[in-house]
Amino acid sequence: MKKSMKKFLAACSLAAGLALAGGAQAETVRFWYHFDNPDNPMSKLVEKFQTKNPGIKIEAENIPWNSYYDNLYTSIVGGNAPDAAMVKLFAQPRLVEMGALEPIGDRIEKWAGKADLLDNLLNLNKGPDSKQYYLPIQYVVLYLYYRPDLFKAAGLEPPKTCEEFLNAAKTLTKAPNQYGFGFRGGKGGWDQWGTFVFSKGAKFEKGGLTTPEAIAANQWLIDLHRVHKVFPPSAPNDGFQEILGAFKGGKTAMTIHHIGSSADIVKALGDKVSAAPVPKCGEKAWTSYGDESLAVFSSSSAKDAAWKWISFLAEAENNVLFNQATGQLTVTKSGSKDWKLHEQRFVDATVASLPFAAVLPQTSATADFVNTVWPTSMQQALTGQISAEQMMKEIETLIASQ
């Protein structure tokens, strides 16, 4: 009887152990991302992943861009962060300070997909403490979109300098029906601003925004709106959808964005759109390297499962499918060899812009600059509530406080 009881208890113990193991495998990964494109492949990717990993369930939530980081920071502070999410470089310093990110350098080193990542992407995405928290998922470089038909009719060439840009913008402004340039004065427009202000001598560092050269550069940009009136009147509040809609609708002759917008613009304009590197305003041109990566959060109770999911999204054909929806460029070497998503003129403009593409310094001030200080002060400056110098001093105060 004792032997039978021991066997029974052993069997129960084994069954309990197996049930526990099965329960541990059946993990849920909460994943946050943001897609503007209505053609969203996430359900296909989730289905494919879950078929290969039946013990993991992915709950993917598309968070609106305008509130993405506000929601993310709030969820972290509130103890309800997702297990993994799409993230940008400007947010990394703050997330590191919050202790919110899980280091994934060791996982990347052991990951078979590492060899297929494009050169230098991991270096560009390193944290402020040189640890690897981000796994690249897509990238772009900003360039100038322009209307070649309008330029040809006006006897103009794509501007290579700020002087040529101003001349073209003034020539092509036929208010109120057409304006020379679609400026994004709302959230997310700092990189357009940077094209003209950073290339004219301003630097995102202590003392680098309040020099006479930096203030003059900011004044030059503000004058485009207030003096030369080459922006639509809505520019102080315009976001991505507004500048894209205005350009597609023929209300603006130029704007600045990246290859992710090209397919949508071509649908509207066909061969009446082309691209060129942004104009050089000082000793060298400046444009923004646009990043998007994936991260696992330190509060997650499903870190292994979360890593499996994000590394799946960064692999070969999965990453190509992901970026066919985002409209940005694949991070894989294999996917880049036969890339057909974008027309060659936009790829050429991206490649030609890479030598002078840059990212903002990875400091905690960067996130505040991008999300709050720049859009608020830019809108105030464009509407005449503050001067160009006051705007730069406000940004300078932020940098000096860090």
Side-chain angles (χ1 to χ4, degrees):
M1 180 66 114
K2 288 183 177 179
K3 287 183 178 180
S4 298
M5 182 60 71
K6 285 181 179 179
K7 288 181 179 179
F8 175 74
L9 292 173
C12 288
S13 177
L14 177 60
L18 289 172
L20 180 61
Q25 290 176 354
E27 295 177 292
T28 296
V29 174
R30 294 172 56 230
F31 175 66
W32 284 12
Y33 69 104
H34 55 85
F35 274 179
D36 293 325
N37 194 332
D39 183 17
N40 188 336
M42 194 57 68
S43 59
K44 293 180 183 177
L45 288 163
V46 168
E47 182 180 358
K48 181 179 178 181
F49 176 83
Q50 290 182 161
T51 299
K52 293 179 65 176
N53 300 274
I56 302 174
K57 178 183 177 183
I58 304 298
E59 291 184 354
E61 186 174 357
N62 192 0
I63 307 294
W65 169 247
N66 284 343
S67 59
Y68 189 81
Y69 282 96
D70 291 338
N71 288 337
L72 184 60
Y73 297 140
T74 299
S75 73
I76 293 167
V77 173
N80 191 37
D83 296 290
M86 287 173 65
V87 283
K88 284 184 173 288
L89 275 172
F90 76 78
Q92 188 170 207
R94 172 174 286 182
L95 292 172
V96 170
E97 283 185 0
M98 296 173 79
L101 298 177
E102 178 73 9
I104 57 173
D106 290 343
R107 296 180 187 272
I108 291 174
E109 288 300 316
K110 298 173 184 176
W111 175 48
K114 180 188 176 185
D116 197 30
L117 288 179
L118 289 166
D119 295 339
N120 207 36
L121 285 180
L122 287 173
N123 286 332
L124 281 168
N125 282 277
K126 276 187 177 179
D129 55 4
S130 296
K131 292 183 180 179
Q132 203 78 50
Y133 299 99
Y134 280 13
L135 181 65
I137 188 72
Q138 62 190 38
Y139 82 100
V140 289
V141 176
L142 270 66
Y143 53 69
L144 183 76
Y145 279 102
Y146 71 96
R147 289 284 303 271
D149 56 327
L150 300 180
F151 271 69
K152 184 177 181 180
L156 297 168
E157 294 291 330
K160 295 181 179 179
T161 66
C162 268
E163 291 74 18
E164 292 177 0
F165 173 87
L166 176 57
N167 178 57
K170 290 168 68 175
T171 301
L172 295 170
T173 295
K174 312 290 182 184
N177 299 315
Q178 180 178 297
Y179 293 86
F181 184 74
F183 183 71
R184 185 175 178 175
K187 186 177 287 189
W190 68 269
D191 42 20
Q192 285 191 347
W193 172 85
T195 288
F196 302 104
V197 176
F198 290 141
S199 69
K200 277 179 168 283
K203 296 180 181 178
F204 194 78
E205 60 186 37
K206 190 174 181 179
L209 293 172
T210 52
T211 63
E213 294 80 10
I215 293 169
N218 195 36
Q219 185 67 62
W220 184 89
L221 182 133
I222 292 167
D223 285 348
L224 291 175
H225 180 62
R226 295 190 56 79
V227 176
H228 304 297
K229 302 186 186 301
V230 299
F231 300 166
S234 59
N237 297 306
D238 281 351
F240 167 71
Q241 296 293 347
E242 289 76 20
I243 64 165
L244 192 65
F247 187 75
K248 292 191 300 181
K251 191 167 184 177
T252 55
M254 296 181 285
T255 194
I256 290 174
H257 206 243
H258 52 64
I259 202 167
S261 301
S262 63
D264 199 24
I265 294 175
V266 168
K267 283 181 184 178
L269 298 175
D271 60 2
K272 292 180 180 179
V273 57
S274 196
V278 297
K280 178 181 176 181
C281 296
E283 293 183 2
K284 63 178 182 177
W286 188 98
T287 196
S288 177
Y289 164 81
D291 68 293
E292 196 77 66
S293 296
L294 303 171
V296 175
F297 289 89
S298 58
S299 60
S300 173
S301 59
K303 293 185 178 71
D304 289 343
W307 163 254
K308 280 187 179 180
W309 167 241
I310 68 169
S311 60
F312 168 86
L313 293 177
E315 290 171 353
E317 63 182 25
N318 305 325
N319 190 251
V320 168
L321 178 60
F322 183 94
N323 283 298
Q324 283 175 345
T326 66
Q328 301 196 24
L329 295 171
T330 176
V331 297
T332 64
K333 295 173 183 175
S334 58
S336 298
K337 288 179 181 177
D338 194 31
W339 190 251
K340 293 184 173 66
L341 182 60
H342 306 99
E343 296 189 20
Q344 193 62 43
R345 60 190 184 276
F346 307 116
V347 177
D348 290 345
T350 299
V351 173
S353 303
L354 276 172
F356 52 85
V359 295
L360 293 182
Q362 288 204 47
T363 68
S364 57
T366 299
D368 287 331
F369 166 77
V370 169
N371 272 327
T372 57
V373 175
W374 184 86
T376 299
S377 60
M378 185 78 262
Q379 289 166 349
Q380 290 175 335
L382 289 174
T383 55
Q385 298 175 60
I386 61 175
S387 68
E389 183 174 4
Q390 287 173 316
M391 175 181 169
M392 296 301 252
K393 285 182 176 178
E394 287 186 13
I395 303 171
E396 175 78 22
T397 299
L398 169 68
I399 295 172
S401 69
Q402 304 299 313

